[in-house]
Amino acid sequence: MLKVYNCIATAHDLRLVALAAFICVLASIAAIRLLRYARISKGRMRSLWLAVSAISTGFGIWATHFVAMLAFTPGIPSGYNIVLTILSLVAAIFLTGIGLTVSLIEDWRYGPWVGGAIVAGGIAVMHYMGMAAFEIAGTVVWDPVLVAASIVLGAMIGAIALPVGLHGDSERWKIGGALLLTLAICSHHFTAMGAVSIIPDPSITISQTALPAGLLAIGVTIASLGILGLATAGVVIDIRDHRRSELETDRMRSLADATVEGLLVCDGEMIVSANKSFSLLVGCSADSLIGSKLESSFPDSAARAKLMSRPNHTLETELRHRDGSMIPVELIMRPIIFAERPHHVIAVRDLKRRKAAEQHIHFLAHHDALTGLPNRAYFNARVDQEIAALTPGKSLGILCLDLDRFKEINDLFGHAAGDRALQTFTSRVGALLDDQQMMARLGGDEFAILLSGISGPAAAGRLAESILEVLGNIADAPEVPISTSIGIALSPDDAPDRQSLLNHADVALYRAKQEGRATYRFFEAKMGAEVRDRRMVEHDLRLAISRDELWLAYQPQLDIKRGKVVGFEALVRWKNPSRGEISPGVFIPIAEEIGAILPIGDWVLKEACREAATWKTPLKVAVNVSAVQLHNAAFAQELHGILLESGLPGKRLEIEITETALVRDLNRTLATLRQVKALGVEIAMDDFGTGYSSLSNLRAFPFDRIKIDRSFIKSVHSNQQAATIVRAVLGLGKGLGLPVIAEGVETNEELRFLQEESCDEVQGFLLGRPAAIETFREYTNPDASLPQADPIKRAASA
């Protein structure tokens, strides 16, 4: 090293050494820039730019060498062999061209390293051919160690220079590559010069054809100017390309930023541009993404490989957000030309909303929207799985539940209240279940609970009791009272398959409803026939009107004082072809439960009004109206239509309502009754004394008549309290100016008691059993030639 230093410091003109270094730097910068430009070119243009780069680099190496040789002052005559000098330039250009070509071989990662080493070899060949062209009056002696060191040093640095210069697009990589190439040329030259020792020999003469140093200086000057020109051209081209690239990048970024989807422009797997949508999606700025690898945003290597191998095909994968969370995305890659080079653009679509929508759709397909519970399909699938996985010694329980009188809740309080009742029921019952139990809504107010892996019926019974207890907690009662009936069936004891198991639980549910509701029952084999019979009744009842199986029986109502029939109560009867007469006490509750009471009630009103309109005697007709009918918003309007159609005056119609209808929704009921009253229709309170808040109800609305329930009448002689109550009601009626009618009069003693207490009207079996209207034609259409019989006298003499 000291020898090399002494060679530079003592045997060279340092001003020319600096000039050589400057020329070398210019040549290296031109070489790297022209080589990079050749890389982005195609076909003949690539070959042209490779040739220009090789000439520039070769001239640079050659000029650096000979300027440095001009700086070398051995102090004895010297000159340069013209042929070898020219051959050294040709060798530098040729070998440099080979090295640069190798460095641009596509898809070979070692190309720049090998190409750089070949360029370093060209430097060595040019140097030692140039030294061979050096003629001097003396003997040249070489130090083999330094010769080897110069070759190795140049090869190592040259092998690094091209990979660095071609690595990235930033200016630092270009400058780094140029400086390393400069270092390779200079280190080789001056190390090799340090290996030279010249021994003067006056006997050796310089040939006449040797090129003097002055002429060489002119040639070097021309070469240097050429290098400067090529370097300037390279800089100009690079600046122009840089500006063009910036303009194209800005244009593409503006277009990309206008899109909703994320867009990436990539060179291989390196990101060179990203739009705002992608930067927002990934959670960092677009500038910070430039130069990073796709791996940093898309960690799934298999997905990346598939994306790169299949252009124009969509692919779903996950995007890593800056906070580490993963976002589902859809990718599609297309090749493009960007900055006059092939790149590819990747469109990134955020799938969060779509995935959320798909999950919601999947949830809705398997769950009930109102309560959030699994639906029938999901429940059935789960039951099938549990039955298949049932182990010996374990049982699977099914509880079928429905809300008692749920249709009345909807009719009386509206569907919004019904929905709230279902949600309240769901939350209360769901709070009792553990992870091994599942509740589902099968439809309407029908629910089912699956108990898997239980030891026996006791566990199902305990849960049923807990459900009834939590719903019956008055301290935490909802706005609408809720109760439920429960049917229980077990597998494998009651049934081995789902369908039979659900049917049996449903049968047990019907038994629970028949036995008073708000209770639970286990399935028993004998229940099957009973439930099938009830269902047949339900089926026939729905068709009773269309099959003309309903008819009206009429029971007379008598004025006690005058002894005359003043009206009839119309009572619906059902005669089924196969079952015969079915009691109203049997089919009316069923009609209310299955929702058939509305069409039946409408039919009764129409038929009673039509019949009463045909009577010659203007007697009244009384019709019972259920709470469900009364809470129908269109009831008054429909009643008006019936009166118009039948031609019956409103004052001849009396509707009877129970106090229960008032209690359930007083305001709505009173509003409807006022509309009915406006039609001239009279209103009677039926079963007075058996409901709630009777006095407050009488005060809230001016009824036209009070009916004393038969349960009080039949006890007036055997129960002093019943007699006192009847007297009180009769006194209340007189005080309020309301006529009182007693129903259920069956004995002469009951009749005499009512006469003594000044009751206004009576009806009952004693005075006339309900029968077809033809039985009472003497009252509705009397014959003027025949006197009317007194029903009271006839009853007393019977």
Side-chain angles (χ1 to χ4, degrees):
M1 184 63 71
L2 183 60
K3 188 174 181 181
V4 174
Y5 172 76
N6 289 332
C7 173
I8 297 173
T10 61
H12 286 77
D13 184 341
L14 294 180
R15 292 171 298 179
L16 292 176
V17 169
L19 177 61
F22 177 69
I23 293 172
C24 185
V25 169
L26 287 179
S28 299
I29 292 174
I32 294 297
R33 292 185 180 275
L34 292 171
L35 179 61
R36 291 173 67 91
Y37 197 75
R39 184 176 63 176
I40 64 175
S41 302
K42 296 293 182 181
R44 295 177 59 185
M45 290 304 297
R46 169 175 281 198
S47 301
L48 176 62
W49 286 112
L50 272 174
V52 173
S53 181
I55 293 171
S56 171
T57 307
F59 263 100
I61 296 169
W62 184 81
T64 299
H65 171 79
F66 281 101
V67 169
M69 288 301 297
L70 291 173
F72 180 60
T73 53
I76 54 178
S78 61
Y80 296 89
N81 186 290
I82 297 176
V83 176
L84 290 176
T85 299
I86 294 172
L87 287 176
S88 67
L89 175 59
V90 173
I93 294 173
F94 178 72
L95 291 175
T96 298
I98 293 175
L100 298 180
T101 302
V102 170
S103 70
L104 295 185
I105 295 177
E106 294 182 1
D107 300 326
W108 188 30
R109 57 182 300 186
Y110 300 109
W113 300 86
V114 175
I118 293 174
V119 171
I123 296 170
V125 170
M126 191 286 308
H127 177 84
Y128 287 107
M129 286 186 69
M131 290 301 295
F134 184 54
E135 296 184 6
I136 194 169
T139 302
V140 178
V141 179
W142 295 92
D143 183 344
V145 175
L146 288 178
V147 169
S150 68
I151 296 172
V152 172
L153 189 62
M156 289 176 59
I157 299 174
I160 298 173
L162 292 190
V164 171
L166 295 174
H167 179 67
D169 289 332
S170 64
E171 200 67 26
R172 62 182 180 180
W173 293 109
K174 300 174 186 178
I175 296 174
L179 292 177
L180 285 172
L181 185 58
T182 301
L183 183 60
I185 296 170
C186 293
S187 62
H188 172 83
H189 176 84
F190 289 107
T191 302
M193 290 302 295
V196 175
S197 297
I198 299 175
I199 302 172
D201 188 352
S203 62
I204 298 175
T205 59
I206 305 301
S207 63
Q208 295 296 320
T209 59
L211 185 66
L215 291 177
L216 180 61
I218 294 172
V220 170
T221 300
I222 294 172
S224 300
L225 291 174
I227 293 169
L228 286 172
L230 290 173
T232 302
V235 171
V236 170
I237 291 171
D238 196 57
I239 291 173
R240 185 197 66 181
D241 288 346
H242 184 69
R243 287 181 177 176
R244 181 186 300 168
S245 178
E246 284 184 343
L247 289 173
E248 186 172 353
T249 300
D250 290 342
R251 181 175 60 84
M252 291 194 66
R253 184 176 289 116
S254 297
L255 291 173
D257 288 341
T259 64
V260 176
E261 294 180 342
L263 290 178
L264 294 174
V265 178
C266 298
D267 184 3
E269 290 204 11
M270 184 178 68
I271 299 173
V272 298
S273 181
N275 70 344
K276 289 181 181 179
S277 296
F278 183 80
S279 66
L280 291 174
L281 189 61
V282 81
C284 57
S285 66
D287 292 338
S288 64
L289 292 168
I290 296 174
S292 62
K293 295 290 187 180
L294 283 177
E295 180 182 359
S296 62
S297 298
F298 305 101
D300 189 345
S301 58
R304 294 196 311 274
K306 189 175 181 180
L307 176 69
M308 294 300 177
S309 62
R310 298 184 64 192
N312 301 313
H313 285 78
T314 57
L315 170 72
E316 289 190 14
T317 185
E318 289 186 317
L319 169 70
R320 180 189 287 131
H321 192 271
R322 183 176 60 178
D323 61 10
S325 62
M326 304 303 290
I327 302 171
V329 293
E330 182 182 69
L331 308 179
I332 185 170
M333 187 269 288
R334 290 191 175 97
I336 62 168
I337 299 299
F338 178 74
E340 299 185 3
R341 287 187 53 210
H343 288 70
H344 47 262
V345 64
I346 300 174
V348 184
R349 177 176 296 169
D350 186 359
L351 297 183
K352 287 198 299 293
R353 291 184 180 177
R354 193 180 84 182
K355 292 293 184 182
E358 289 175 353
Q359 291 176 359
H360 185 61
I361 292 171
H362 182 269
F363 179 85
L364 291 179
H366 296 87
H367 291 77
D368 170 55
L370 177 65
T371 62
L373 294 175
N375 60 14
R376 184 184 293 272
Y378 187 81
F379 182 79
N380 288 345
R382 176 71 182 276
V383 173
D384 288 339
Q385 292 174 2
E386 294 294 337
I387 290 177
L390 199 61
T391 58
K394 293 292 183 180
S395 297
L396 182 143
I398 295 290
L399 278 67
C400 281
L401 312 87
D402 70 3
L403 273 65
D404 297 332
R405 304 189 187 280
F406 178 69
K407 189 175 188 312
E408 291 186 17
I409 294 176
N410 277 332
D411 292 336
L412 296 176
F413 303 104
H415 289 284
D419 289 346
R420 288 193 296 272
L422 292 174
Q423 291 170 334
T424 301
F425 175 81
T426 299
S427 63
R428 289 193 172 191
V429 176
L432 301 175
L433 306 182
D434 58 31
D435 294 338
Q436 300 300 316
Q437 301 164 345
M438 185 182 77
M439 182 178 181
R441 184 185 181 196
L442 305 185
D445 65 326
E446 300 176 40
F447 294 84
I449 297 176
L450 168 65
L451 307 179
S452 59
I454 59 176
S455 56
R462 285 194 297 271
L463 177 60
E465 290 171 356
S466 298
I467 292 171
L468 297 175
E469 181 180 356
V470 74
L471 293 178
N473 188 353
I474 300 176
D476 192 25
E479 60 175 317
V480 178
I482 301 172
S483 66
T484 185
S485 301
I486 306 172
I488 305 172
L490 303 176
S491 178
D493 296 340
D494 296 329
D497 62 279
R498 168 179 52 81
Q499 189 61 51
S500 299
L501 193 62
L502 285 170
N503 287 340
H504 290 167
D506 199 37
V507 167
L509 171 62
Y510 271 100
R511 170 59 63 87
K513 296 181 81 68
Q514 284 180 331
E515 296 184 1
R517 298 184 174 89
T519 187
Y520 70 93
R521 291 291 181 266
F522 284 91
F523 171 76
E524 299 173 7
K526 64 179 182 180
M527 292 180 179
E530 297 174 359
V531 170
R532 282 193 295 272
D533 183 66
R534 177 187 167 89
R535 287 178 175 168
M536 287 300 299
V537 171
E538 292 177 0
H539 176 266
D540 291 344
L541 184 57
R542 288 189 175 96
L543 301 175
I545 295 176
S546 61
R547 290 176 176 176
D548 199 23
E549 295 175 4
L550 298 180
W551 63 280
L552 290 183
Y554 292 84
Q555 187 173 32
Q557 297 175 333
L558 285 81
D559 185 322
I560 292 182
K561 295 177 182 178
R562 294 186 296 162
K564 290 187 176 182
V565 174
V566 293
F568 290 89
E569 181 179 4
L571 302 168
V572 65
R573 296 293 185 262
W574 180 23
K575 186 175 182 180
N576 184 268
S578 59
R579 301 172 186 272
E581 289 284 348
I582 300 176
S583 169
V586 172
F587 74 80
I588 291 298
I590 295 176
E592 291 178 343
E593 185 175 322
I594 66 174
I597 195 64
L598 276 175
I600 291 175
D602 289 344
W603 180 86
V604 170
L605 273 172
K606 290 178 181 178
E607 189 65 20
C609 290
R610 183 195 62 77
E611 173 61 34
T614 65
W615 300 341
K616 292 181 179 179
T617 306
L619 304 176
K620 290 187 299 184
V621 63
V623 177
N624 287 283
V625 174
S626 71
V628 176
Q629 287 176 276
L630 201 58
H631 288 89
N632 178 9
F635 175 74
Q637 183 178 355
E638 292 173 356
L639 181 59
H640 187 211
I642 291 173
L643 292 173
L644 291 175
E645 181 181 352
S646 64
L648 183 72
K651 64 181 180 179
R652 289 183 57 195
L653 174 66
E654 180 180 85
I655 64 171
E656 298 181 358
I657 66 170
T658 63
E659 293 177 282
T660 306
L662 296 174
V663 172
R664 287 177 178 172
D665 193 342
L666 179 62
N667 293 331
R668 180 189 290 188
T669 305
L670 292 181
T672 302
L673 291 178
R674 289 189 179 97
Q675 293 175 351
V676 171
K677 192 75 172 173
L679 298 174
V681 176
E682 294 189 351
I683 302 170
M685 178 179 282
D686 196 11
D687 299 337
F688 183 78
T690 60
Y692 307 95
S693 306
S694 298
L695 296 179
S696 64
N697 289 334
L698 290 175
R699 184 183 63 183
F701 187 82
F703 289 91
D704 297 291
R705 191 183 308 272
I706 300 174
K707 291 190 75 172
I708 303 177
D709 186 66
R710 70 186 65 191
S711 63
F712 297 110
I713 301 301
K714 70 181 181 180
S715 303
V716 291
H717 289 290
S718 61
N719 189 315
Q720 187 60 37
Q721 291 180 339
T724 302
I725 290 173
V726 171
R727 289 190 185 100
V729 173
L730 291 171
L732 180 65
K734 288 185 177 73
L736 295 174
L738 294 177
V740 178
I741 180 170
E743 60 179 346
V745 178
E746 298 182 359
T747 66
N748 287 316
E749 290 78 5
E750 293 170 357
L751 179 60
R752 281 194 296 270
F753 174 86
L754 293 171
Q755 285 175 323
E756 291 171 358
E757 297 297 332
S758 301
C759 182
D760 298 292
E761 297 177 11
V762 293
Q763 73 178 84
F765 288 175
L766 180 66
L767 306 171
R769 289 178 175 271
I773 194 62
E774 286 76 12
T775 308
F776 306 105
R777 287 304 180 193
E778 60 179 300
Y779 303 114
T780 60
N781 297 292
D783 189 341
S785 63
L786 297 175
Q788 252 189 48
D790 187 337
I792 296 179
K793 291 181 179 180
R794 185 170 57 186
S797 62

